[in-house]
Amino acid sequence: MVLVLAIGDLHIPHRAPDLPAKFKSMLVPGKIQHIICTGNLCIKEVHDYLKSLCPSLHITRGEYDEDARYPETKTLTIGQFKLGLCHGHQVVPWGDLDSLAMLQRQLDVDILVSGHTHQFKAYKHEAGVVINPGSATGAYSSITYDVNPSFVLMDIDGLRVVVYVYELIDGEVKVDKIDFKKTSTATI
Amino acid sequence: MTQTRSNSSKPAIISEEQQTNTHTNTYTESSETLAEKEPELMVKKRVPDWLNNSMLSSPAPVVSPPSKSRSQSPPPPSSSHHDLLGSYTSKSSSVYSYNSSTVIQPPVPIPPPTFIRPEPPTKPARTPRTDFRDPLTRISDSDNDISSSVEDASRQTNLIQALSRKIINMRELRRLASEGIPDGAGIRSTVWKLLLAYLPCDKALWSSELAKKRSQYNQFKEDFLMNPLLKVSVASQSEITRKLEDSASLQNGENTSAGKGLLPRSEIPHGEHPLSLGKTSVWNQFFQDTEIIDQIDRDVKRTHPDIDFFCGDSASSKANQDSLRNILIVYAKLNPGIRYVQGMNEILAPLFYVFKNDPDEDYSRNAEADTFFCFVELLSGIRDNFVQQLDNSVVGIRSTILKLSLLLKEHDEELWRHLDITTKVNPQFYAFRWITLLLTQEFIFTDSLHIWDTLLSDPEGPQETLLRVCCAMLILVRRRLLAGDFTANLKLLQSYPSTTNISHLLYVANKLRSHHHS
């Protein structure tokens, strides 16, 4: 039972001052084992905050990140799953499923986490699953102003992943769940 | 928190004097410590008469009232075997002459001599020195009192006799137990189970009771020690499988080309997500439990690090630690009001040790279940000491400490005045640990077992006897206390000399009872 937080596109301090209070109250250290962050934090203070939640922190570079040392893409293995991480501004058209699927095949991962569109999405295609955690602060994106703050928490347990989607809608935290399994022979 | 006395293995009295002398630097006390070792030499000024008189009893076969006739013999010169236990070397053999008796056997369940006969001092169990760190394998002196071994043997016979009746006379058993239970043949294990009302008086009911309780404990273990996340997934499983079945049928229609598409989202029951802060959330429970489990784990690992039974590298010590952990976790889950408090592990340790080392195979195997229930029973009397909110209340630890203070005042006003008023040694500084942990941390392990014999035999719960024993502890070192200032007294009381003759201590405590007028 490994809890992995997928979060990104915070754009602090340029487009948003901070995480919503309700999100912050839920994110306490000690519960989460890994954090994967799509990028665009943008400053070191946010990095430190995330590091305080969990020492295992993986970040990829977004186009506005001030730390240029983050990699463009990252892959990691958690439990039985291979996860890939990429900010997403590199994949054109932004948010396009087929292009992301190409990236996923390229990285050879089961779950690809990418962002940039600031919209939560969870796609499934024959090569695997693509998850977009959206923007945790609700910052405006290059495409739209209408953004609900959201992030994703994945509970990886053996061959099964339960994805909890946290969204802040009208000031209230709404949590939904998505469940999928990986068959041992083929991906989902 | 265990007292570690790093002594060289010089067994003679002289080393003890030197070592106890380190406690109070100011006062030259060679005669004094000697006096403490040999009660009959104690001459205390202005000590209540009865206390004084009892000291003048003769050494070897002590004729004190039926009970405390343990080793009142002069400490024998030799003692090659005193270097047995690293930290326990300093004990004078007089303390353990009662141990000389009959069964010194490694408490590991090897089929023991089931019945103890009054042995001559040449003990058969001289040889197994294997487990150095196991306190009960200490070999006592041979040159020690045939008399005391005979007495022990007689006590043992009495106990065995009492236990062999069909319906056990609890009053008699309590009386016998308060005199001290010999270390072998699983007597202590059975007696403690009876004293803690785990086994009923009627022997015929034992097997059914035991079976019932043991299965109950196993049920508890299953309920509480199962990974709570399984519960979550089991609960959500039904929903998921249902949805998967539904969507599978749907998907099969859609799934023609590539199995693409948005993944279906499902609502979750209120607050059942991992970051939930709600009190009813299974996740939140799980994380809170994890904290407690972590603390229990840490404390279990630190319990009695010098005793191999608890803290060794062998598989059996790991198993013992696991048992301790399980018991504490189940207790914490069953008692959400008090959960786990540091110190409970110390109360648990002697119980488990005694029960696990029961020579009877069946008892030893089920020691965990038995210990659990006895632990619950024992703790029920003293649990108020562990609840922080009750500290200042009538039942709390502060008021108990106050009772101790008053008891001391009643029996030895001069000492009380000196401690409380002159040197301002707040009893909380030392008595807190004495009382909450039932003196397990003040003496070496075997000694505390003997003290527990007396504590548990009190029909009204250990507290009364405990206070008397604490008072006796104070009185026994009164000379040093009267001579010391705040620092010296505090130092002395916080590391109470573990070379104290336990039987003498208990004798004094018993005397306090007869002079108690309330």
Side-chain angles (χ1 to χ4, degrees):
Chain A
M1 188 213 64
V2 182
L3 290 181
V4 182
L5 176 71
I7 195 171
D9 287 318
L10 294 101
H11 288 280
I12 295 173
H14 306 124
R15 303 185 193 175
D18 201 0
L19 282 168
K22 295 205 171 168
F23 280 179
K24 260 200 143 158
S25 65
M26 282 198 295
L27 291 173
V28 294
K31 296 188 181 180
I32 300 169
Q33 272 84 53
H34 302 275
I35 299 185
I36 51 182
C37 183
T38 52
N40 272 344
L41 292 180
C42 306
I43 48 179
K44 187 171 177 306
E45 279 76 357
V46 183
H47 176 108
D48 292 339
Y49 166 73
L50 289 178
K51 195 89 182 182
S52 75
L53 290 182
C54 163
S56 169
L57 176 60
H58 308 273
I59 312 183
T60 47
R61 179 138 204 266
E63 75 269 46
Y64 290 101
D65 268 315
E66 304 207 345
D67 190 340
R69 291 169 302 168
Y70 298 139
E72 293 282 324
T73 63
K74 207 163 191 193
T75 56
L76 49 151
T77 308
I78 294 177
Q80 306 272 10
F81 286 87
K82 286 187 286 195
L83 285 92
L85 186 61
C86 175
H87 177 247
H89 67 274
Q90 308 95 328
V91 179
V92 178
W94 295 335
D96 180 54
L97 175 58
D98 292 323
S99 313
L100 287 171
M102 266 203 301
L103 176 63
Q104 182 159 3
R105 279 188 289 272
Q106 202 175 344
L107 295 173
D108 188 27
V109 290
D110 302 313
I111 303 175
L112 177 68
V113 179
S114 78
H116 187 58
T117 61
H118 297 206
Q119 301 284 333
F120 166 77
K121 284 277 170 15
Y123 293 125
K124 171 173 147 5
H125 57 92
E126 71 269 17
V129 167
V130 177
I131 294 182
N132 186 331
S135 162
T137 51
Y140 58 86
S141 76
S142 319
I143 313 171
T144 171
Y145 276 100
D146 183 18
V147 176
N148 278 327
S150 66
F151 66 87
V152 157
L153 185 67
M154 294 188 278
D155 175 11
I156 300 181
D157 190 11
L159 286 173
R160 185 165 156 248
V161 175
V162 182
V163 177
Y164 294 92
V165 185
Y166 293 78
E167 282 171 315
L168 193 69
I169 300 178
D170 291 334
E172 285 305 316
V173 177
K174 264 199 83 238
V175 190
D176 285 333
K177 177 165 73 164
I178 300 173
D179 191 47
F180 56 87
K181 269 194 169 55
K182 166 180 163 174
T183 54
S184 43
T185 50
T187 49
I188 304 117
Chain B
M1 285 213 285
T2 46
Q3 301 194 36
T4 49
R5 301 296 199 76
S6 48
N7 298 321
S8 67
S9 47
K10 275 193 283 198
I13 297 243
I14 297 135
S15 67
E16 280 143 14
E17 286 176 37
Q18 283 168 354
Q19 156 234 317
T20 45
N21 267 342
T22 61
H23 280 293
T24 55
N25 316 323
T26 52
Y27 199 71
T28 53
E29 307 181 1
S30 34
S31 62
E32 179 58 26
T33 51
L34 239 188
E36 273 167 12
K37 298 298 171 288
E38 289 176 293
E40 56 268 29
L41 295 187
M42 261 207 257
V43 176
K44 297 177 167 169
K45 298 187 199 136
R46 276 174 276 151
V47 147
D49 274 343
W50 58 265
L51 202 54
N52 226 347
N53 285 338
S54 63
M55 297 321 134
L56 302 179
S57 53
S58 61
V62 168
V63 199
S64 55
S67 39
K68 311 294 176 201
S69 51
R70 299 195 206 179
S71 57
Q72 303 255 353
S73 51
S78 76
S79 34
S80 51
H81 39 263
H82 273 303
D83 59 343
L84 233 181
L85 309 164
S87 38
Y88 303 146
T89 50
S90 60
K91 307 304 163 272
S92 85
S93 47
S94 68
V95 181
Y96 304 126
S97 49
Y98 52 60
N99 260 345
S100 72
S101 68
T102 52
V103 259
I104 309 291
Q105 50 188 356
V108 180
I110 302 170
T114 47
F115 194 78
I116 312 345
R117 55 275 173 220
E119 278 179 342
T122 55
K123 302 299 164 288
R126 272 243 161 209
T127 38
R129 304 268 237 117
T130 50
D131 197 23
F132 270 106
R133 287 155 53 168
D134 204 323
L136 279 185
T137 53
R138 190 177 329 106
I139 317 295
S140 61
D141 321 322
S142 68
D143 30 303
N144 229 350
D145 350 355
I146 304 184
S147 55
S148 68
S149 66
V150 163
E151 262 156 27
D152 283 331
S154 75
R155 228 175 329 130
Q156 194 144 5
T157 346
N158 285 341
L159 274 169
I160 294 189
Q161 218 173 17
L163 287 176
S164 59
R165 302 230 186 90
K166 281 215 176 139
I167 310 267
I168 301 189
N169 184 343
M170 284 310 295
R171 209 145 46 106
E172 188 197 338
L173 189 67
R174 285 184 196 278
R175 185 185 62 80
L176 283 171
S178 70
E179 302 167 13
I181 304 177
D183 280 328
I187 299 183
R188 177 174 278 131
S189 162
T190 322
V191 173
W192 279 17
K193 290 191 179 105
L194 283 162
L195 292 177
L196 287 168
Y198 179 55
L199 290 172
C201 298
D202 186 356
K203 257 195 168 172
L205 298 176
W206 279 11
S207 49
S208 57
E209 267 296 308
L210 285 175
K212 195 167 58 149
K213 289 275 169 68
R214 284 162 186 175
S215 76
Q216 197 177 20
Y217 178 70
N218 285 327
Q219 185 61 41
F220 285 149
K221 279 221 292 194
E222 260 181 50
D223 285 341
F224 296 126
L225 295 182
M226 179 175 78
N227 185 352
L229 262 314
L230 287 180
K231 284 198 227 144
V232 175
S233 42
V234 160
S236 52
Q237 195 70 40
S238 46
E239 192 197 328
I240 295 301
T241 44
R242 201 171 31 84
K243 278 212 154 26
L244 281 179
E245 282 160 12
D246 288 345
S247 57
S249 49
L250 287 177
Q251 294 283 38
N252 281 333
E254 298 172 11
N255 252 2
T256 47
S257 53
K260 282 202 209 186
L262 291 174
L263 284 168
R265 294 160 65 146
S266 51
E267 293 261 332
I268 54 176
H270 178 64
E272 280 304 328
H273 55 93
L275 297 179
S276 156
L277 298 168
K279 293 224 184 330
T280 53
S281 151
V282 177
W283 286 94
N284 203 13
Q285 291 274 335
F286 171 71
F287 285 119
Q288 285 183 349
D289 288 343
T290 318
E291 273 182 56
I292 301 214
I293 294 179
D294 278 344
Q295 182 165 38
I296 291 180
D297 200 34
R298 260 178 281 139
D299 280 349
V300 162
K301 292 208 168 81
R302 296 193 283 206
T303 312
H304 292 296
D306 39 356
I307 301 184
D308 211 28
F309 179 84
F310 293 111
C311 248
D313 288 326
S314 60
S316 64
S317 342
K318 295 273 181 305
N320 293 335
Q321 282 192 351
D322 283 341
S323 301
L324 290 180
R325 191 179 307 126
N326 291 342
I327 296 175
L328 290 170
I329 294 178
V330 172
Y331 184 82
K333 295 263 179 94
L334 280 175
N335 294 278
I338 186 174
R339 296 291 209 149
Y340 172 74
V341 181
Q342 267 193 318
M344 286 183 182
N345 60 319
E346 298 294 342
I347 305 245
L348 179 61
L351 284 174
F352 185 68
Y353 182 88
V354 167
F355 292 163
K356 183 81 184 177
N357 287 320
D358 193 326
D360 181 293
E361 277 287 322
D362 182 48
Y363 280 129
S364 178
R365 231 178 318 119
N366 288 300
E368 194 181 321
D370 296 342
T371 320
F372 172 73
F373 288 104
C374 292
F375 175 64
V376 169
E377 181 63 37
L378 180 58
L379 212 55
S380 65
I382 57 174
R383 67 188 282 166
D384 290 337
N385 293 337
F386 287 95
V387 179
Q388 207 178 7
Q389 285 96 312
L390 290 178
D391 270 355
N392 289 326
S393 74
V394 173
V395 295
I397 185 68
R398 289 242 178 100
S399 116
T400 316
I401 293 182
L402 191 60
K403 275 194 222 150
L404 173 62
S405 207
L406 292 174
L407 194 65
L408 179 65
K409 180 176 178 188
E410 184 183 329
H411 288 284
D412 193 343
E413 175 147 1
E414 185 200 359
L415 180 61
W416 172 81
R417 192 179 303 280
H418 179 79
L419 274 182
D420 238 32
I421 300 183
T422 321
T423 52
K424 292 202 183 26
V425 177
N426 189 336
Q428 279 192 10
F429 296 149
Y430 54 87
F432 186 85
R433 197 173 71 171
W434 292 3
I435 295 178
T436 27
L437 297 186
L438 298 181
L439 296 172
T440 47
Q441 295 289 309
E442 311 310 317
F443 302 99
I444 65 163
F445 195 65
T446 13
D447 280 348
S448 60
L449 292 183
H450 289 108
I451 296 185
W452 275 40
D453 289 338
T454 318
L455 291 182
L456 293 178
S457 65
D458 190 338
E460 288 166 23
Q463 202 190 73
E464 286 300 316
T465 319
L466 180 64
L467 289 181
R468 274 186 285 113
V469 176
C470 291
C471 197
M473 281 164 74
L474 290 169
I475 293 182
L476 281 189
V477 288
R478 76 188 301 275
R479 199 44 73 118
R480 278 200 248 173
L481 288 175
L482 285 173
D485 65 344
F486 176 80
T487 331
N489 286 349
L490 198 57
K491 223 167 141 197
L492 172 64
L493 291 173
Q494 280 185 341
S495 45
Y496 194 84
S498 52
T499 52
T500 317
N501 183 336
I502 294 299
S503 50
H504 180 60
L505 173 69
L506 293 172
Y507 173 72
V508 173
N510 200 26
K511 272 289 198 163
L512 288 176
R513 184 204 332 244
S514 42
H515 287 254
H516 193 57
H517 288 304
S518 65

